[in-house]
Amino acid sequence: MALPQTVTLVSADEYLAQEVLADDKHEYVDGVVVSMSGGSIKHSRIKTDLARIVGSQLAGGQCEVFDSDLRVRVDANFYTYPDVTVVCGEAVLAPDGFDNLVNPTAIFEVLSASTEARDRGEKWIRYRQIPSLQHYVLVSQSQPQIEVFTRSGDVWTFTDASGLDASLHLETIGVALALDEVYGRVTFEEDESTGLVGEPRG
């Protein structure tokens, strides 16, 4: 019988000190340091184009976009690196001497097989506790679909858009997302063995 694995717990301060020196990025979840695996080329294309599309629409305004290098402090027990983050107004960092953003206005996550359950579950539960957060955006990489949770007072409403001819509008940050642009470098084809898959265009 295999012995149960022991999980080493560390403090947030220890995690942050280690993260400064680490070659790879890690999340921090209730004392556990979680390694972030590399994404697929499809994931990277969607994430890069999403940041570019959002950033071009926000240029010169009161909001700015950050890529997945920016760490977000959700609370004292949860630090993570969203795929794309938008801040409207001044970007506020936690007073801990590290670059930990505490006031995101919108968070975007590109879903993958290894992360979708957490993005829809634990992360969403945690993210909606952030007072400044107005939009939580989930972007599929297996099909052209974007789902958005939007805060209205104390209530979160859900909208989605599917298909390359669809689009949606994030009113709080003033960004329109046309799916044919977000998925501009990905082609979705029907494969008999695997179903709908994406391949690079061109």
Side-chain angles (χ1 to χ4, degrees):
M1 178 185 296
L3 296 175
Q5 293 185 342
T6 301
V7 176
T8 301
L9 300 181
V10 302
S11 69
D13 288 341
E14 290 173 317
Y15 157 73
L16 293 170
Q18 293 170 4
E19 196 71 352
V20 171
L21 303 175
D23 293 328
D24 302 316
K25 292 183 293 187
H26 304 79
E27 294 180 328
Y28 180 79
V29 185
D30 297 328
V32 179
V33 178
V34 181
S35 178
M36 298 181 67
S37 60
S40 66
I41 188 170
K42 183 166 52 175
H43 183 284
S44 183
R45 282 184 169 125
I46 294 171
K47 179 178 70 173
T48 301
D49 288 345
L50 183 65
R52 174 184 53 79
I53 292 165
V54 174
S56 66
Q57 294 183 54
L58 296 179
Q62 298 299 311
C63 303
E64 60 180 322
V65 64
F66 296 93
D67 64 15
S68 57
D69 284 338
L70 180 66
R71 186 171 53 237
V72 171
R73 180 190 188 275
V74 179
D75 57 43
N77 297 307
F78 193 75
Y79 293 76
T80 188
Y81 296 84
D83 285 321
V84 178
T85 303
V86 170
V87 178
C88 295
E90 180 182 359
V92 178
L93 302 180
D96 52 18
F98 299 91
D99 287 343
N100 295 310
L101 182 75
V102 299
N103 67 325
T105 305
I107 287 176
F108 300 74
E109 296 285 10
V110 179
L111 303 177
S112 65
S114 62
T115 66
E116 181 168 359
R118 289 192 66 228
D119 289 337
R120 293 187 180 279
E122 180 182 17
K123 279 190 176 181
W124 172 221
I125 292 172
R126 303 265 191 159
Y127 282 157
R128 63 178 180 248
Q129 305 305 314
I130 303 174
S132 62
L133 190 67
Q134 299 298 309
H135 294 297
Y136 181 47
V137 185
L138 298 173
V139 182
S140 174
Q141 64 169 309
S142 62
Q143 59 184 323
Q145 181 179 40
I146 298 177
E147 301 167 80
V148 181
F149 294 90
T150 300
R151 188 195 297 270
S152 178
D154 294 329
V155 177
W156 288 89
T157 59
F158 173 81
T159 57
D160 69 335
S162 300
L164 293 175
D165 59 346
S167 63
L168 50 78
H169 187 242
L170 307 179
E171 294 185 5
T172 301
I173 62 175
V175 167
L177 295 177
L179 272 66
D180 63 344
E181 293 186 56
V182 174
Y183 296 99
R185 289 191 287 161
V186 175
T187 296
F188 297 94
E189 300 174 351
E190 189 68 29
D191 182 89
E192 291 182 358
S193 62
T194 62
L196 196 62
V197 298
E199 296 295 341
R201 293 182 180 176

